[in-house]
Amino acid sequence: MAILGKIRSQGLILILVIALALFAFIIQGLLTSNGAAKASSLGSVGSTELDREAFARRVETTMQQRGAGTSTVQAVNSVWDAEVRDAVLNMQINEAGIEVSDEAVKNQVKSMYANAPIFLDENGQFSEIKMNTFVADLKNNQPERYQLWLQDVENAADQAKQTQFFNLLKSGIIGTQAAGEMEYRLANDNRSFTFVNIPYTSIADSEVEISKSEISSYIAKNESKFKSEAQRDIQYVVFEDKASEADKATMKSDMTKLLSSYEEFSENTNRTETYQGLNTVEDVETFVNSQSDLPYDGSYLLTSKLPATAKAIAALEEGSTYGPYEDGEHMKISRLEDKKTIMDSVQTKHILVAYAGATRSASTRSKEDAKKVADSIFATIGQSNSKFNAKWDYFNENTEVAKGEDIGWVVYSGNARNFAPGFTKFLFENDKGSVGISESSFGYHIIHIQDTKAPTEAVKIATIAKKVEASKATGKQLFTDAQKFQQGAAEKDFTEVAKEFTLDVKPVKNLKAMDENLPGLQRNRSVVQWAFKEGTDIGDTERFETPEGYVIVQLTRKAESGLMSAEEASATVTPILRNKKKAKMIMDQITATEVNDIASAQGLNARAATAVNRKSPTIPGVGEEPKVVGTAFGLAEGETSKPIAGEKGVFVVKVTAIENAPDLGSYKADANEVANRTANQATSKLVEALKKSIEITDNRSTFY
């Protein structure tokens, strides 16, 4: 009651408080709404906003099209490049007022779906009727998917406009007579000269100092070359998630138990049961599949291909067991089932009888009918080589019923893995001259073994394999150690703590916001995201759980987008400035004016270059030197140049011969070459130029 009395007595104040609270709520809502609107944009290209949801759909489609090997970041980058390209081009297309007909859009859609199975007729050809039926069904029954289809049509219209835009661009590019003559002269006018090259390496780098201010000055004069994205440097250590020696010893003990029969009390039957071992069990395949992480493989393995840890198996008697032994990431025990000599290489032809549903088959016959046809052909041939060849010749020319194919040499240790198992099984289990019938996913094969070579020993091994993994106790200790390291690194020097744990510190420099690969680790986007996360400061550490184990990362440098610092550009700029200074030092040493005299004074030999042109300005024994070759073309015969600061040193040249190609009546062929080359380069160069001329906002790293 007292509280209610206070409220009544302070009514005006209460009303004001509530009003302020409501006002704050409304303002927060507006701010949140605005923030949400911004958050929905993945970025912008000029005035074009890139919608996040539409972008995500394209990323998903790209990943589906490219398969499991494509990472999310790879797909994101690919779609981003395409979106930016389309945006800058569409801006130009709209300004130019380019339009395309409905027929052009229709043809573009047809080309986009030309190989889509759903639109192919019984002859494998694109069917416009099927496409129209499909679209009508979407419109009437699947409105959401129909909207996606309309988006595809809109994209097709954009592509058609771009095609027309580029065609117009290329049509305006011509090669003039003057351009053709210049192209001809660059390739065919030659100069021969003697020269001396005093290399920059003749002066030690330690003799030339480059200051930070000089680097900064160079950057300021060449800003366009030194614009940099935001970057981060990190260093990390890895606590590897791997089995300890104790874990391996336990695994060996457990697997040794599987070699022989043993007795063990079973809680399921409440009695002691006898269990078979690998060296006594009769149904080896079932036993292996019930115990192994890898399935039973009944194929033969060349003894030369046995891993080093399993070489001794080849010397065992059939039925003997071997192991446990470590092979890669598995602990194994093996039983030698059989030994035999096989031909490593088999030359063969076959007659294939396919059926509807077989791999790469266009046949409409049933599997049963195909079997009857194959049996009939085989019954006619028997084991006669001549009859096989006659049938093969016929079916090689007439493929309606069956198809004769010359396979050539199949190598057991090589390309045999590319053929169907049923096919190769016959090849390597039969002798030269054999004719037989075999089934595979492609259909029924009537096979003839024409020749064999390279007999070699092979073994059939039944192997139980279990992946070598850390035990729970090892994993627990690993987690504890990683925690201790992280705590220590937060208080002391990262490198010193790593020494205490005998771990190698691995630095990673110049990470960009959309990177995902770290040297020594698999794809690890989360580490990069953390490094660029707002609030992550230099010296901060973080622990990440990865397939390799626990990774402790420390941020060591932050650089935002803009011009590179002197430190960042040093690796690029220092050699340039150093060579400039070396060039001046070398030129100051040159007092003679003749090539031979200069060479003698420098302890060098004058050399000769014959028939050098400007299109390929390469000096024999030196490399590309366009400035030097260009200077030679500006000299008269017998004239000597002044010292030239080239790419690899200071040069002095003396022209010994001028060989100008004869004048042509027409330079049309060369002019056309210039025009075609320029047109082919125009599209990509235009897009890059447009990108530089417009403001692009990139928010990808916020969402991916």
Side-chain angles (χ1 to χ4, degrees):
M1 294 296 289
I3 294 174
L4 289 173
K6 279 191 175 183
I7 291 174
R8 291 191 188 100
S9 67
Q10 304 293 334
L12 180 60
I13 295 174
L14 183 61
I15 290 170
L16 288 172
V17 170
I18 293 172
L20 287 170
L22 286 171
F23 181 72
F25 178 78
I26 292 168
I27 291 298
Q28 182 183 11
L30 290 172
L31 290 173
T32 305
S33 174
N34 185 46
K38 287 183 178 179
S40 69
S41 172
L42 195 83
S44 61
V45 181
S47 60
T48 303
E49 291 286 332
L50 302 182
D51 183 73
R52 182 163 61 92
E53 292 184 3
F55 188 91
R57 286 195 295 270
R58 285 195 66 181
V59 169
E60 184 178 353
T61 301
T62 299
M63 293 183 70
Q64 291 173 351
Q65 291 172 341
R66 296 188 180 182
T70 300
S71 71
T72 301
V73 171
Q74 287 173 330
V76 166
N77 292 340
S78 175
V79 174
W80 172 264
D81 290 342
E83 291 274 8
V84 171
R85 179 182 185 276
D86 289 347
V88 297
L89 285 174
N90 288 340
M91 291 172 65
Q92 295 298 310
I93 288 168
N94 292 335
E95 287 183 16
I98 294 174
E99 297 292 343
V100 291
S101 66
D102 291 343
E103 188 66 24
V105 176
K106 185 177 180 180
N107 290 334
Q108 184 69 35
V109 172
K110 288 166 66 175
S111 68
M112 288 167 59
Y113 290 97
N115 297 313
I118 194 172
F119 298 146
L120 301 183
D121 60 20
E122 59 276 7
N123 297 318
Q125 301 298 313
F126 178 84
S127 169
E128 191 171 326
I129 295 174
K130 283 198 168 190
M131 184 180 74
N132 293 338
T133 303
F134 173 80
V135 175
D137 178 68
L138 289 183
K139 185 176 182 180
N140 296 326
N141 303 310
Q142 303 181 61
E144 290 185 1
R145 290 187 64 190
Y146 180 64
Q147 291 303 315
L148 294 176
W149 171 265
L150 292 179
Q151 183 63 53
D152 280 352
V153 173
E154 187 177 334
N155 291 338
D158 288 341
Q159 291 300 315
K161 289 179 182 179
Q162 288 181 20
T163 299
Q164 185 171 331
F165 176 69
F166 285 135
N167 288 339
L168 289 170
L169 176 67
K170 291 178 180 179
S171 67
I173 297 173
I174 61 172
T176 64
Q177 180 81 349
E181 183 177 4
M182 175 58 72
E183 181 75 7
Y184 171 75
R185 293 293 173 200
L186 289 174
N188 297 287
D189 286 355
N190 295 321
R191 295 293 184 270
S192 297
F193 50 84
T194 57
F195 69 95
V196 59
N197 169 27
I198 307 164
Y200 295 131
T201 54
S202 63
I203 299 176
D205 290 349
S206 58
E207 295 182 30
V208 183
E209 290 188 7
I210 303 298
S211 68
K212 182 177 177 180
S213 62
E214 288 176 309
I215 296 174
S216 297
S217 177
Y218 186 89
I219 294 170
K221 293 176 183 176
N222 300 274
E223 285 190 3
S224 62
K225 296 179 180 179
F226 294 98
K227 288 181 179 178
S228 172
E229 299 177 43
Q231 295 180 350
R232 301 290 186 268
D233 288 355
I234 62 171
Q235 57 184 358
Y236 71 89
V237 296
V238 181
F239 285 84
E240 288 188 79
D241 184 13
K242 62 181 182 180
S244 65
E245 292 304 316
D247 293 336
K248 293 179 182 180
T250 300
M251 283 194 73
K252 286 183 178 180
S253 177
D254 292 341
M255 295 195 74
T256 299
K257 197 175 179 181
L258 293 173
L259 284 170
S260 305
S261 300
Y262 63 96
E263 292 183 346
E264 187 173 87
F265 180 79
S266 171
E267 293 183 357
N268 293 331
T269 62
N270 199 31
R271 66 182 183 185
T272 300
E273 299 285 355
T274 300
Y275 297 93
Q276 294 294 311
L278 184 60
N279 59 7
T280 57
V281 71
E282 293 185 5
D283 187 352
V284 176
E285 181 175 353
T286 300
F287 182 73
V288 168
N289 287 334
S290 68
Q291 298 290 341
S292 179
D293 291 345
L294 301 178
Y296 175 84
D297 182 1
S299 63
Y300 284 82
L301 182 67
L302 301 184
T303 56
S304 60
K305 299 295 181 181
L306 285 171
T309 52
K311 290 288 187 186
I313 296 176
L316 298 176
E317 296 292 327
E318 291 179 19
S320 299
T321 54
Y322 178 78
Y325 62 96
E326 199 171 345
D327 180 19
E329 60 180 14
H330 290 91
M331 192 72 72
K332 297 179 177 181
I333 55 174
S334 297
R335 172 173 165 174
L336 182 62
E337 292 190 274
D338 191 23
K339 290 182 182 181
K340 71 175 183 179
T341 299
I342 65 170
M343 297 297 171
D344 183 57
S345 301
V346 176
Q347 188 181 31
T348 183
K349 289 183 177 180
H350 78 145
I351 300 168
L352 174 63
V353 183
Y355 54 83
T359 302
R360 295 207 293 263
S361 170
S363 175
T364 57
R365 69 163 70 93
S366 67
K367 184 176 181 179
E368 293 74 18
D369 288 343
K371 179 70 164 63
K372 291 177 183 177
V373 171
D375 287 341
S376 174
I377 295 172
F378 180 55
T380 303
I381 295 171
Q383 290 299 309
S384 170
N385 293 343
S386 60
K387 289 182 179 179
F388 176 90
N389 290 332
K391 284 290 184 183
W392 186 90
D393 288 339
Y394 176 79
F395 288 120
N396 183 245
E397 296 292 333
N398 305 278
T399 59
E400 297 84 4
V401 176
K403 188 177 182 181
E405 295 179 316
D406 188 350
I407 302 299
W409 287 97
V410 179
V411 182
Y412 192 84
S413 58
N415 65 342
R417 65 177 67 92
N418 300 328
F419 292 88
F423 182 80
T424 55
K425 187 174 187 295
F426 179 88
L427 293 185
F428 296 101
E429 292 186 1
N430 290 279
D431 299 325
K432 177 180 177 179
S434 296
V435 179
I437 188 168
S438 180
E439 181 184 356
S440 80
S441 62
F442 292 88
Y444 294 95
H445 310 259
I446 298 93
I447 305 169
H448 177 220
I449 298 178
Q450 298 175 290
D451 198 3
T452 60
K453 64 181 181 181
T456 186
E457 291 296 320
V459 289
K460 182 180 179 183
I461 303 172
T463 296
I464 295 174
K466 292 187 181 293
K467 191 171 182 180
V468 179
E469 295 179 320
S471 65
K472 288 184 179 180
T474 299
K476 186 176 180 181
Q477 184 60 49
L478 189 73
F479 177 75
T480 301
D481 290 343
Q483 273 192 319
K484 287 181 179 178
F485 181 96
Q486 187 178 6
Q487 291 167 359
E491 300 169 357
K492 297 187 290 184
D493 182 75
F494 192 92
T495 304
E496 291 303 316
V497 179
K499 288 179 181 177
E500 294 173 16
F501 283 79
T502 63
L503 294 171
D504 292 329
V505 177
K506 300 176 181 177
V508 182
K509 295 186 178 295
N510 304 325
L511 277 175
K512 295 182 176 62
M514 287 305 295
D515 285 345
E516 64 173 340
N517 294 320
L518 301 177
L521 297 176
Q522 297 181 32
R523 289 171 181 160
N524 206 307
R525 181 73 187 136
S526 58
V527 172
V528 181
Q529 287 175 319
W530 169 80
F532 280 87
K533 183 179 177 182
E534 186 176 351
T536 302
D537 295 320
I538 294 173
D540 287 355
T541 61
E542 187 59 87
R543 182 179 69 251
F544 296 90
E545 191 171 349
T546 73
E548 292 84 3
Y550 294 106
V551 177
I552 314 297
V553 185
Q554 183 179 60
L555 182 66
T556 57
R557 182 181 72 93
K558 294 174 70 172
E560 303 309 327
S561 59
L563 278 181
M564 290 184 184
S565 66
E567 290 79 8
E568 291 170 331
S570 177
T572 302
V573 177
T574 298
I576 297 172
L577 297 180
R578 185 183 287 133
N579 284 348
K580 281 187 175 181
K581 288 190 175 184
K582 286 184 178 182
K584 186 177 185 310
M585 292 167 68
I586 292 170
M587 289 178 180
D588 289 343
Q589 297 171 5
I590 298 174
T591 56
T593 57
E594 290 295 325
V595 169
N596 289 328
D597 294 340
I598 296 170
S600 178
Q602 295 289 332
L604 300 170
N605 293 319
R607 290 184 280 173
T610 305
V612 179
N613 65 57
R614 285 168 290 179
K615 192 167 186 178
S616 300
T618 301
I619 299 177
V622 178
E624 283 200 4
E625 288 287 351
K627 190 175 180 181
V628 177
V629 173
T631 300
F633 271 81
L635 300 174
E637 187 172 343
E639 187 178 357
T640 302
S641 74
K642 293 180 180 180
I644 310 158
E647 297 293 324
K648 299 175 181 65
V650 172
F651 293 76
V652 177
V653 301
K654 179 179 181 179
V655 175
T656 56
I658 294 176
E659 303 166 31
N660 290 330
D663 293 339
L664 300 179
S666 170
Y667 298 96
K668 185 176 181 180
D670 295 285
N672 289 339
E673 183 182 339
V674 172
N676 291 334
R677 184 173 66 242
T678 305
N680 291 333
Q681 295 172 347
T683 54
S684 59
K685 288 186 175 181
L686 173 65
V687 171
E688 291 307 312
L690 291 173
K691 285 181 185 178
K692 292 177 182 177
S693 68
I694 200 165
E695 184 177 351
I696 297 175
T697 304
D698 182 358
N699 298 328
R700 279 177 294 169
S701 61
T702 304
F703 303 102
Y704 295 96

